[in-house]
mmCIF file of all heavy atoms in Angstrom:
data_model
loop_
_atom_site.group_PDB
_atom_site.id
_atom_site.type_symbol
_atom_site.label_atom_id
_atom_site.label_comp_id
_atom_site.label_asym_id
_atom_site.label_seq_id
_atom_site.Cartn_x
_atom_site.Cartn_y
_atom_site.Cartn_z
ATOM 1 N N ARG A 1 181.425 162.136 98.307
ATOM 2 C CA ARG A 1 180.587 163.080 98.805
ATOM 3 C C ARG A 1 179.163 162.620 98.869
ATOM 4 O O ARG A 1 178.533 162.271 97.926
ATOM 5 C CB ARG A 1 180.609 164.382 98.027
ATOM 6 C CG ARG A 1 179.933 165.520 98.535
ATOM 7 C CD ARG A 1 179.806 166.730 97.635
ATOM 8 N NE ARG A 1 179.325 167.904 98.289
ATOM 9 C CZ ARG A 1 178.537 168.826 97.698
ATOM 10 N NH1 ARG A 1 178.131 168.607 96.439
ATOM 11 N NH2 ARG A 1 178.087 169.912 98.254
ATOM 12 N N LEU A 2 178.619 162.460 100.101
ATOM 13 C CA LEU A 2 177.283 161.981 100.315
ATOM 14 C C LEU A 2 176.344 163.228 100.406
ATOM 15 O O LEU A 2 176.742 164.236 100.975
ATOM 16 C CB LEU A 2 177.143 161.116 101.527
ATOM 17 C CG LEU A 2 178.120 159.982 101.653
ATOM 18 C CD1 LEU A 2 177.843 159.222 103.039
ATOM 19 C CD2 LEU A 2 178.018 159.044 100.473
ATOM 20 N N SER A 3 175.130 162.978 99.929
ATOM 21 C CA SER A 3 174.144 164.000 100.007
ATOM 22 C C SER A 3 172.855 163.389 100.719
ATOM 23 O O SER A 3 172.591 162.175 100.512
ATOM 24 C CB SER A 3 173.694 164.504 98.610
ATOM 25 O OG SER A 3 174.830 165.183 98.013
ATOM 26 N N CYS A 4 172.151 164.209 101.410
ATOM 27 C CA CYS A 4 170.887 163.810 102.015
ATOM 28 C C CYS A 4 169.850 164.918 101.752
ATOM 29 O O CYS A 4 170.071 166.028 102.319
ATOM 30 C CB CYS A 4 171.140 163.530 103.483
ATOM 31 S SG CYS A 4 169.588 163.163 104.405
ATOM 32 N N ALA A 5 168.865 164.611 100.988
ATOM 33 C CA ALA A 5 167.881 165.696 100.694
ATOM 34 C C ALA A 5 166.595 165.377 101.503
ATOM 35 O O ALA A 5 166.095 164.230 101.402
ATOM 36 C CB ALA A 5 167.555 165.672 99.193
ATOM 37 N N ALA A 6 166.079 166.373 102.154
ATOM 38 C CA ALA A 6 164.923 166.189 102.965
ATOM 39 C C ALA A 6 163.728 166.832 102.319
ATOM 40 O O ALA A 6 163.829 167.854 101.723
ATOM 41 C CB ALA A 6 165.147 166.861 104.333
ATOM 42 N N SER A 7 162.614 166.182 102.446
ATOM 43 C CA SER A 7 161.391 166.750 101.947
ATOM 44 C C SER A 7 160.218 166.436 102.943
ATOM 45 O O SER A 7 160.361 165.610 103.840
ATOM 46 C CB SER A 7 161.036 166.230 100.590
ATOM 47 O OG SER A 7 160.796 164.816 100.592
ATOM 48 N N GLY A 8 159.073 167.095 102.746
ATOM 49 C CA GLY A 8 157.920 166.899 103.541
ATOM 50 C C GLY A 8 157.822 167.997 104.586
ATOM 51 O O GLY A 8 158.426 169.029 104.515
ATOM 52 N N ILE A 9 157.052 167.717 105.676
ATOM 53 C CA ILE A 9 156.748 168.663 106.658
ATOM 54 C C ILE A 9 157.717 168.445 107.826
ATOM 55 O O ILE A 9 157.738 167.395 108.396
ATOM 56 C CB ILE A 9 155.312 168.556 107.207
ATOM 57 C CG1 ILE A 9 154.366 168.810 106.049
ATOM 58 C CG2 ILE A 9 155.125 169.536 108.346
ATOM 59 C CD1 ILE A 9 152.908 168.543 106.458
ATOM 60 N N ILE A 10 158.536 169.520 108.086
ATOM 61 C CA ILE A 10 159.529 169.385 109.130
ATOM 62 C C ILE A 10 159.413 170.551 110.082
ATOM 63 O O ILE A 10 159.399 171.678 109.692
ATOM 64 C CB ILE A 10 160.991 169.382 108.487
ATOM 65 C CG1 ILE A 10 161.151 168.376 107.445
ATOM 66 C CG2 ILE A 10 162.085 169.291 109.584
ATOM 67 C CD1 ILE A 10 162.456 168.489 106.708
ATOM 68 N N PHE A 11 159.311 170.230 111.413
ATOM 69 C CA PHE A 11 159.129 171.230 112.408
ATOM 70 C C PHE A 11 160.402 171.303 113.302
ATOM 71 O O PHE A 11 160.877 170.304 113.756
ATOM 72 C CB PHE A 11 157.933 170.904 113.301
ATOM 73 C CG PHE A 11 156.625 170.842 112.492
ATOM 74 C CD1 PHE A 11 156.144 169.606 112.060
ATOM 75 C CD2 PHE A 11 155.954 171.969 112.220
ATOM 76 C CE1 PHE A 11 154.931 169.533 111.390
ATOM 77 C CE2 PHE A 11 154.690 171.905 111.565
ATOM 78 C CZ PHE A 11 154.245 170.689 111.114
ATOM 79 N N SER A 12 160.864 172.527 113.502
ATOM 80 C CA SER A 12 161.871 172.845 114.547
ATOM 81 C C SER A 12 162.977 171.847 114.488
ATOM 82 O O SER A 12 163.241 171.010 115.376
ATOM 83 C CB SER A 12 161.258 172.850 115.911
ATOM 84 O OG SER A 12 160.223 173.862 115.989
ATOM 85 N N ILE A 13 163.763 171.919 113.427
ATOM 86 C CA ILE A 13 164.908 171.020 113.248
ATOM 87 C C ILE A 13 165.932 171.296 114.370
ATOM 88 O O ILE A 13 166.450 172.412 114.479
ATOM 89 C CB ILE A 13 165.557 171.132 111.876
ATOM 90 C CG1 ILE A 13 164.603 170.696 110.749
ATOM 91 C CG2 ILE A 13 166.829 170.318 111.770
ATOM 92 C CD1 ILE A 13 165.085 170.944 109.365
ATOM 93 N N LEU A 14 166.382 170.275 115.118
ATOM 94 C CA LEU A 14 167.416 170.364 116.026
ATOM 95 C C LEU A 14 168.795 170.150 115.436
ATOM 96 O O LEU A 14 169.685 170.890 115.718
ATOM 97 C CB LEU A 14 167.180 169.486 117.171
ATOM 98 C CG LEU A 14 165.859 169.659 118.014
ATOM 99 C CD1 LEU A 14 165.665 168.535 119.022
ATOM 100 C CD2 LEU A 14 165.814 171.038 118.544
ATOM 101 N N HIS A 15 168.910 169.103 114.662
ATOM 102 C CA HIS A 15 170.109 168.841 113.943
ATOM 103 C C HIS A 15 169.922 167.804 112.891
ATOM 104 O O HIS A 15 168.925 167.135 112.843
ATOM 105 C CB HIS A 15 171.290 168.401 114.875
ATOM 106 C CG HIS A 15 170.979 167.109 115.625
ATOM 107 N ND1 HIS A 15 170.756 167.151 116.977
ATOM 108 C CD2 HIS A 15 170.820 165.850 115.219
ATOM 109 C CE1 HIS A 15 170.529 165.814 117.422
ATOM 110 N NE2 HIS A 15 170.622 165.077 116.334
ATOM 111 N N MET A 16 170.853 167.688 111.966
ATOM 112 C CA MET A 16 170.893 166.611 111.009
ATOM 113 C C MET A 16 172.222 165.928 111.186
ATOM 114 O O MET A 16 173.232 166.626 111.458
ATOM 115 C CB MET A 16 170.775 167.182 109.641
ATOM 116 C CG MET A 16 169.443 167.873 109.365
ATOM 117 S SD MET A 16 169.272 168.303 107.638
ATOM 118 C CE MET A 16 169.083 166.739 106.836
ATOM 119 N N ASP A 17 172.285 164.625 111.052
ATOM 120 C CA ASP A 17 173.537 163.962 111.258
ATOM 121 C C ASP A 17 173.659 162.756 110.403
ATOM 122 O O ASP A 17 172.641 162.317 109.673
ATOM 123 C CB ASP A 17 173.752 163.612 112.753
ATOM 124 C CG ASP A 17 172.648 162.926 113.357
ATOM 125 O OD1 ASP A 17 171.780 162.294 112.751
ATOM 126 O OD2 ASP A 17 172.586 163.039 114.651
ATOM 127 N N TRP A 18 174.840 162.161 110.352
ATOM 128 C CA TRP A 18 175.100 160.952 109.653
ATOM 129 C C TRP A 18 175.561 159.846 110.594
ATOM 130 O O TRP A 18 176.451 160.153 111.531
ATOM 131 C CB TRP A 18 176.262 161.191 108.567
ATOM 132 C CG TRP A 18 175.854 162.047 107.509
ATOM 133 C CD1 TRP A 18 175.988 163.398 107.334
ATOM 134 C CD2 TRP A 18 175.315 161.594 106.193
ATOM 135 N NE1 TRP A 18 175.574 163.819 106.094
ATOM 136 C CE2 TRP A 18 175.081 162.676 105.391
ATOM 137 C CE3 TRP A 18 174.947 160.345 105.720
ATOM 138 C CZ2 TRP A 18 174.582 162.653 104.110
ATOM 139 C CZ3 TRP A 18 174.365 160.327 104.474
ATOM 140 C CH2 TRP A 18 174.142 161.422 103.631
ATOM 141 N N HIS A 19 175.176 158.682 110.382
ATOM 142 C CA HIS A 19 175.557 157.514 111.087
ATOM 143 C C HIS A 19 175.877 156.425 110.065
ATOM 144 O O HIS A 19 175.485 156.497 108.880
ATOM 145 C CB HIS A 19 174.426 157.012 112.060
ATOM 146 C CG HIS A 19 174.005 157.931 113.064
ATOM 147 N ND1 HIS A 19 174.168 157.643 114.377
ATOM 148 C CD2 HIS A 19 173.407 159.180 113.024
ATOM 149 C CE1 HIS A 19 173.716 158.635 115.112
ATOM 150 N NE2 HIS A 19 173.294 159.600 114.313
ATOM 151 N N ARG A 20 176.684 155.453 110.512
ATOM 152 C CA ARG A 20 177.039 154.376 109.569
ATOM 153 C C ARG A 20 176.961 153.018 110.345
ATOM 154 O O ARG A 20 177.107 152.980 111.495
ATOM 155 C CB ARG A 20 178.429 154.633 108.980
ATOM 156 C CG ARG A 20 179.574 154.494 110.022
ATOM 157 C CD ARG A 20 180.874 154.884 109.374
ATOM 158 N NE ARG A 20 181.984 154.861 110.340
ATOM 159 C CZ ARG A 20 183.179 155.307 110.188
ATOM 160 N NH1 ARG A 20 183.479 155.946 109.010
ATOM 161 N NH2 ARG A 20 184.135 155.289 111.065
ATOM 162 N N GLN A 21 176.832 152.005 109.567
ATOM 163 C CA GLN A 21 176.728 150.640 110.089
ATOM 164 C C GLN A 21 177.445 149.682 109.179
ATOM 165 O O GLN A 21 177.047 149.480 108.000
ATOM 166 C CB GLN A 21 175.270 150.256 110.280
ATOM 167 C CG GLN A 21 175.064 148.976 110.981
ATOM 168 C CD GLN A 21 173.590 148.763 111.347
ATOM 169 O OE1 GLN A 21 172.762 149.404 110.810
ATOM 170 N NE2 GLN A 21 173.367 147.838 112.319
ATOM 171 N N ALA A 22 178.529 149.126 109.721
ATOM 172 C CA ALA A 22 179.215 148.096 109.068
ATOM 173 C C ALA A 22 178.543 146.741 109.237
ATOM 174 O O ALA A 22 177.754 146.531 110.262
ATOM 175 C CB ALA A 22 180.662 148.001 109.581
ATOM 176 N N PRO A 23 178.681 145.866 108.319
ATOM 177 C CA PRO A 23 178.050 144.535 108.445
ATOM 178 C C PRO A 23 178.294 143.872 109.765
ATOM 179 O O PRO A 23 179.539 143.774 110.162
ATOM 180 C CB PRO A 23 178.638 143.730 107.237
ATOM 181 C CG PRO A 23 178.982 144.791 106.238
ATOM 182 C CD PRO A 23 179.449 145.946 107.099
ATOM 183 N N GLY A 24 177.330 143.492 110.453
ATOM 184 C CA GLY A 24 177.499 142.806 111.654
ATOM 185 C C GLY A 24 177.758 143.617 112.836
ATOM 186 O O GLY A 24 178.085 143.163 114.006
ATOM 187 N N LYS A 25 177.836 144.935 112.719
ATOM 188 C CA LYS A 25 178.115 145.846 113.773
ATOM 189 C C LYS A 25 176.973 146.819 114.033
ATOM 190 O O LYS A 25 176.067 146.949 113.271
ATOM 191 C CB LYS A 25 179.395 146.629 113.471
ATOM 192 C CG LYS A 25 180.632 145.705 113.349
ATOM 193 C CD LYS A 25 181.929 146.548 113.284
ATOM 194 C CE LYS A 25 183.119 145.596 113.205
ATOM 195 N NZ LYS A 25 184.399 146.439 113.049
ATOM 196 N N GLU A 26 177.067 147.481 115.234
ATOM 197 C CA GLU A 26 176.054 148.406 115.555
ATOM 198 C C GLU A 26 176.201 149.770 114.749
ATOM 199 O O GLU A 26 177.297 150.108 114.361
ATOM 200 C CB GLU A 26 176.075 148.740 117.066
ATOM 201 C CG GLU A 26 175.852 147.553 117.930
ATOM 202 C CD GLU A 26 175.954 147.935 119.418
ATOM 203 O OE1 GLU A 26 176.381 149.015 119.716
ATOM 204 O OE2 GLU A 26 175.491 147.084 120.269
#
């Protein structure tokens, strides 16, 4: 289970998402 905690000044969030990158790949 991954978590992502956001802090700071955030305006009008459209979305939050997850991306991944394997070694040597996009």
Side-chain angles (χ1 to χ4, degrees):
R1 188 189 189 218
L2 306 183
S3 298
C4 174
S7 63
I9 301 173
I10 306 172
F11 299 98
S12 300
I13 296 174
L14 299 177
H15 61 249
M16 299 183 69
D17 51 24
W18 290 92
H19 298 242
R20 66 188 180 191
Q21 188 168 19
K25 296 186 177 181
E26 296 181 351

